[in-house]
DNA sequence: ACCTGAACACCGTTCAAGT
DNA sequence: ACCTGAACACCGTTCAAGT
């Protein structure tokens, strides 16, 4: 499985021959551009200039497509090796953040997939390797892994689904406003006005890593500090 | 909106009159028992002894149903007030964990919903209130909130989707096994054998809070420690 | 006021038939 | 070997018609 099919040399068809890889790549582009809801086998076929039924010659079914997309995304996340564990974890966490932000549909999908692909397995193996080579005992390595990944995926899900400026999603903001009252939700209002204040809108425009990058790094460093302390306590 | 409709006294129909509340309650039960994928307007109507189209007299559409279900779940999460911030946050985090574990479809759904309902607004207001009354500056309160909720939701998503014992999901475990090799994934294999070892299976049987409860509390306390340190540094 | 039959525009997937 | 038309069993939703 996962063998790359080489298109026959003499193929002179107007469009390239379908392969598992081209199907997955097209699915990823479609999801990036129009969201995961817009990804149907019929539309995917259409994007490839083919009927939906043809896809079943190259992928088992839609679940197989989703698994393949997840694995493509996992392959984009960088895990540095041969570096101090804290640096390595920090860099891979930020890489994961940026990759998952670039594919807003991916985080929710990854967490809902049961069978990991080769890229995901390799990623996890490398990650655990970083911890083990830094002499994390296995129970602590497991907890470190769970804590860090819980944070990363949870953060991305919030970031991707929660547009905090009125400019981004005026419809959402105006829908919420009438339900929030000063009497019932004073603290919520205080936080919303902090979050939506103008200096943050400038941040949002800066790009690279998104407007939440500083917030992400706050929690990330907090967790890395905690792991360092836990590791120190064991020695 | 959200007014409870009182069924007419003289109603003598074989089944109770439909209300928004009864529709949402039935949807929640259906999702708890058969998963979110099994929740369609047609099946929901069937569960209520009615055609799918009747539901539209009580809810706007399926999105409205999903929003209502999320809000019911949010209402189950307990936020203690008038207690030291650390105790209050710890208790509400564990409450959130247990509630979200009891409704395995909820975490993913909550994070994908754009418009919060009244219970969610009240919950967030109370949570921010705990932080503000403990003199967290607003920027730190916001980051504390983001860090904690990222962790909680991310953790639940992993816990809900990752069955770690062969007994629970033999099909998943056997599907993964042939892909993992000792040469390519030594660290992954080491961790999997740690995670799947028999002493953990006993833990799984203990119930209340699930088999991951200790792991959840590890990361939770790590984050609470970090927040306490960050708060102390500000004073 | 509430329920429903019929209809519309979608889904994923199978399978026999085509090339 | 790969593609497709027809078909099946599903979706969410609308709307005119019923009571």
């Amino acid at each position: 499985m996962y063998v790359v099919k080489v298109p026959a040399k003499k193929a002179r068809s107007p469009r390239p021959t379908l392969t598992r890889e081209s199907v997955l790549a097209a699915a990823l582009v479609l999801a990036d551009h129009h969201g995961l809801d817009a990804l149907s086998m019929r539309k995917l076929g259409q994007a490839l200039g083919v009927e939906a039924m043809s896809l079943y010659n190259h992928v088992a079914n839609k679940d197989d497509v989703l698994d393949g997309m997840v694995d493509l995304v996992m392959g984009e996340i960088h895990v540095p090796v041969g570096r101090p564990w804290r640096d390595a974890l920090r860099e891979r966490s930020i890489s994961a953040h940026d990759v998952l932000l670039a594919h807003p549909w991916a985080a929710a999908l990854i967490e809902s997939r049961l069978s990991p692909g080769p890229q995901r397995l390799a990623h996890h193996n490398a990650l655990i390797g970083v911890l083990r080579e830094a002499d994390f005992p296995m129970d602590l390595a497991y907890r470190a892994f769970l804590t860090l990944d819980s944070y990363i995926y949870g953060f991305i899900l919030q970031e991707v689904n929660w547009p905090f400026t009125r400019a981004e999603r005026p419809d959402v903001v105006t829908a919420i406003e009438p339900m929030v009252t000063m009497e019932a939700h004073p603290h919520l209002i205080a936080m919303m006005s902090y979050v939506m204040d103008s200096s943050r809108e400038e941040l949002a425009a800066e790009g690279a890593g998104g407007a939440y990058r500083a917030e992400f790094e706050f929690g990330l460093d907090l967790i890395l500090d905690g792991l360092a302390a836990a590791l120190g306590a064991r020695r």
Side-chain angles (χ1 to χ4, degrees), chain A residues 100-107 154-163 212:
Chain A
L100 295 175
L101 193 59
H103 307 290
W105 47 269
F155 192 96
I156 283 288
L157 286 177
Q158 296 195 70
E159 182 170 6
V160 154
N161 291 307
W162 190 245
Y212 280 96

Side-chain angles (χ1 to χ4, degrees), chain A residues 26-39:
Chain A
L28 194 136
V29 168
L30 216 160
D32 279 351
H33 284 40
H34 302 101
L36 201 58
D37 287 343
L39 178 65

Side-chain angles (χ1 to χ4, degrees), chain A residues 45-153:
Chain A
Q46 201 176 321
L48 289 158
V50 109
E51 298 299 319
M53 303 77 90
S54 307
L55 302 174
Y56 290 85
N57 287 307
H58 305 97
V59 293
N61 48 36
K62 191 174 180 183
D63 268 350
D64 190 24
V65 173
L66 297 177
D67 281 334
M69 292 167 70
V70 163
D71 219 46
L72 281 176
V73 171
M74 289 306 296
E76 289 182 35
I77 302 175
H78 184 234
V79 185
V81 290
R83 301 250 308 276
W85 70 268
R86 204 186 200 284
D87 295 346
L89 290 193
R90 193 172 199 283
E91 189 171 318
R92 97 95 204 192
S93 298
I94 289 175
S95 171
H97 173 269
D98 293 353
V99 167
L100 295 175
L101 193 59
H103 307 290
W105 47 269
L109 195 57
I110 290 170
E111 289 302 300
S112 72
R113 299 279 89 193
L114 282 176
S115 57
Q119 301 273 18
R120 188 173 186 181
L121 292 173
H123 176 93
H124 280 162
N125 183 68
L127 181 59
I128 301 161
V130 167
L131 292 165
R132 294 292 284 162
E133 273 153 33
D135 291 327
F136 275 73
M138 191 52 95
D139 66 322
L140 189 58
Y142 183 51
R143 290 175 170 196
F145 163 74
L146 277 180
T147 302
L148 210 43
D149 269 25
S150 294
Y151 174 68
I152 294 168
Y153 285 102

Side-chain angles (χ1 to χ4, degrees), chain A residues 161-200:
Chain A
N161 291 307
W162 190 245
F164 64 78
T165 64
R166 182 184 304 272
E168 274 178 88
R169 289 295 297 267
D171 55 325
V172 174
V173 176
T174 48
I176 294 171
E177 259 165 357
M179 302 182 63
V180 183
T181 64
M182 199 61 205
E183 301 81 51
H185 313 98
H187 303 112
L188 191 57
I189 286 184
M191 181 165 284
M192 282 173 72
S193 60
Y194 163 73
V195 171
M196 296 201 192
D197 111 350
S198 58
S199 66
R200 290 189 56 85

